[in-house]
Amino acid sequence: MAVLVTGATGFIALWVVHYLLEEGYEVIGTVRSQEKAEKLQRQFGSEAKLSFEIVPDISVVNAFDHVLQKRAPEIEYVLHTASPFHYKTTEYEKDLLIPAVNGTKGILNAIKKYGAQTVKRLVITSSYAAILDPSKLGDSSTIFTEKSWNPTTWEGCRTDPSNAYRASKKFAELAAWEFLETNKDIVKFKLTTVNPVLVFGPQKFDEDVKGQLNTSNEVINVPLHSSPGDKLPNTQGFFIDVRDVAKAHLLAFQKEDTIGQRLGLSNGRVNTQGVVDILNNKFPQLKGKIAEGPTPGKANQAVGADFDNTKTKELLGFAFNSLENVVYDTAAQILKKESRL
Ligand code: NDP
């Protein structure tokens, strides 16, 4: 029996595929083109128990029908990770909201049509973005938990790419829980969502390190490539290692007590200053060559709303990787590629 991973080319998904193969699962990945399938087949090796189906655009209604129609008898678990995560648009509905929501509805409906009795578990990669309330981020008395929901509306989120992205994750996740409620007597699968904060970490394959990385790793990549005097953005939030996110995707469908849960993945606070300090401490060759952080002496300071994910940590039962380690691994991979390590 196989695991279907949608968006297999993604930063997080490549690590998910890695751990699935390591644990002996057969993996079917959806990718947007034959060329991308061939690249992944080469990267994971021709002997890997890995095959591909092409889904060019998850915005298209019923985008996953042909995949489930053909492969449903083999598929026991579905991990839906595909969703746009970038801020490079002003067409929020077309580029962020619709692909996220249609993609989620698309996989749900395809399972209902062709795998209602065979798919046992569905894991959806949602986000902390679906949990937080943007208006309370600066409020130190607010504590979000796995039960919290972003209150944004479809109309109200269209202020900037960041709010539109957050809303895309909220509405996509909500569509999944609502679908399950409506269809619980028709489909057999149990649902779990994985809701990570900012995900840092090395690319699965060194060759995929490029000038610009996936959105979350830019929090490390931008300071790493800065020059003295540059004004760095003051990012503040929470972090988690991509390898922990990937492991959580496996436990999400392997464990019984994760059924019906939203797994909030965070290992604590991070800000740009915290990243800059680690870069300076761990890589002496960068000292004096990169920008000073925006808040010297205030690395990873506790300002604004907190995120309490105690319940998730108990459910998963493994220790998350530290900020020092993940920033080191991410930066070391980049520096190695640039012959600066
Ligand atoms: P990536 O951008 O690396 O991966 C996104 C994946 O979705 C890629 O496989 C991409 O395909 C695919 N995709 C995007 N839009 C479409 C589309 N219209 N049609 C078909 N496929 C599409 O991002 P991440 O790995 O970081 O994100 C993966 C998931 O994790 C997303 O759901 C994201 O919202 C979520 N997440 C990420 C966090 C982070 O900090 N990175 C934090 C919380 C949640 P292609 O490569 O071909 O473009």
Side-chain angles (χ1 to χ4, degrees):
M1 293 300 273
V3 185
L4 177 70
V5 180
T6 71
T9 49
F11 165 58
I12 294 173
L14 286 169
W15 282 106
V16 172
V17 172
H18 165 82
Y19 287 115
L20 287 169
L21 293 172
E22 199 174 79
E23 290 198 18
Y25 291 98
E26 187 183 330
V27 178
I28 302 168
T30 73
V31 294
R32 300 170 89 160
S33 67
Q34 185 58 32
E35 200 188 345
K36 292 188 179 192
E38 282 161 17
K39 180 181 172 196
L40 290 199
Q41 193 79 65
R42 170 178 63 73
Q43 288 179 316
F44 281 101
S46 53
E47 70 290 350
K49 287 196 290 179
L50 179 61
S51 60
F52 298 96
E53 296 296 336
I54 310 297
V55 177
D57 186 3
I58 56 173
S59 305
V60 175
V61 175
N62 301 332
F64 291 102
D65 275 17
H66 66 286
V67 178
L68 273 291
Q69 189 172 25
K70 181 175 158 200
R71 310 288 302 258
E74 300 161 60
I75 299 169
E76 206 164 349
Y77 309 111
V78 176
L79 312 185
H80 177 56
T81 83
S83 207
F85 182 17
H86 62 83
Y87 303 134
K88 293 172 284 186
T89 182
T90 50
E91 293 190 70
Y92 306 133
E93 202 164 68
K94 175 176 149 291
D95 292 333
L96 295 172
L97 290 154
I98 289 177
V101 173
N102 282 7
T104 300
K105 287 183 177 168
I107 194 73
L108 289 161
N109 281 313
I111 296 171
K112 181 179 170 183
K113 278 187 219 165
Y114 303 107
Q117 294 309 310
T118 45
V119 175
K120 291 187 184 152
R121 302 284 291 263
L122 169 63
V123 178
I124 291 186
T125 316
S126 184
S127 174
Y128 177 58
I131 286 178
L132 62 82
D133 176 345
S135 72
K136 302 247 173 77
L137 285 178
D139 173 9
S140 303
S141 67
T142 295
I143 300 176
F144 300 116
T145 71
E146 295 90 343
K147 289 198 176 122
S148 311
W149 275 93
N150 183 336
T152 194
T153 61
W154 189 273
E155 291 303 322
C157 73
R158 291 189 237 170
T159 49
D160 59 86
S162 166
N163 268 327
Y165 166 71
R166 289 169 178 161
S168 79
K169 299 306 289 179
K170 174 222 171 133
F171 288 110
E173 188 193 328
L174 200 57
W177 292 115
E178 285 175 357
F179 175 97
L180 195 63
E181 189 51 35
T182 313
N183 293 281
K184 57 177 181 282
D185 298 330
I186 303 170
V187 295
K188 200 173 162 191
F189 71 78
K190 311 288 184 212
L191 177 64
T192 305
T193 66
V194 176
N195 297 59
V197 295
L198 272 176
V199 182
F200 294 157
Q203 306 296 312
K204 174 66 190 77
F205 299 104
D206 292 351
E207 68 172 292
D208 291 329
V209 174
K210 301 184 209 85
Q212 183 159 9
L213 297 176
N214 56 289
T215 303
S216 48
N217 268 332
E218 283 295 294
V219 176
I220 298 170
N221 202 27
V222 168
L224 187 60
H225 289 106
S226 64
S227 302
D230 286 356
K231 194 169 158 25
L232 294 175
N234 186 14
T235 302
Q236 305 200 38
F238 301 88
F239 80 96
I240 185 81
D241 187 310
V242 67
R243 295 157 290 193
D244 292 334
V245 176
K247 286 177 199 163
H249 276 77
L250 271 71
L251 292 172
F253 74 81
Q254 290 169 331
K255 287 167 70 75
E256 289 295 305
D257 53 4
T258 54
I259 289 172
Q261 300 293 333
R262 304 171 86 201
L263 302 176
L265 300 183
S266 168
N267 198 25
R269 293 194 187 254
V270 65
N271 63 12
T272 305
Q273 190 65 50
V275 170
V276 168
D277 288 359
I278 293 169
L279 292 176
N280 278 312
N281 289 336
K282 295 276 181 184
F283 302 100
Q285 68 270 44
L286 297 177
K287 255 206 165 110
K289 304 257 172 58
I290 59 173
E292 273 190 13
T295 54
K298 293 183 177 164
N300 313 320
Q301 65 190 135
V303 287
D306 208 349
F307 183 28
D308 180 352
N309 63 336
T310 313
K311 182 173 184 192
T312 298
K313 287 183 187 158
E314 281 169 10
L315 280 171
L316 293 178
F318 71 93
F320 297 147
N321 201 8
S322 69
L323 183 65
E324 266 205 346
N325 285 345
V326 72
V327 171
Y328 178 85
D329 289 351
T330 310
Q333 187 188 44
I334 299 166
L335 292 172
K336 193 171 138 216
K337 174 102 182 215
E338 296 171 356
S339 306
R340 291 203 284 156
L341 191 62

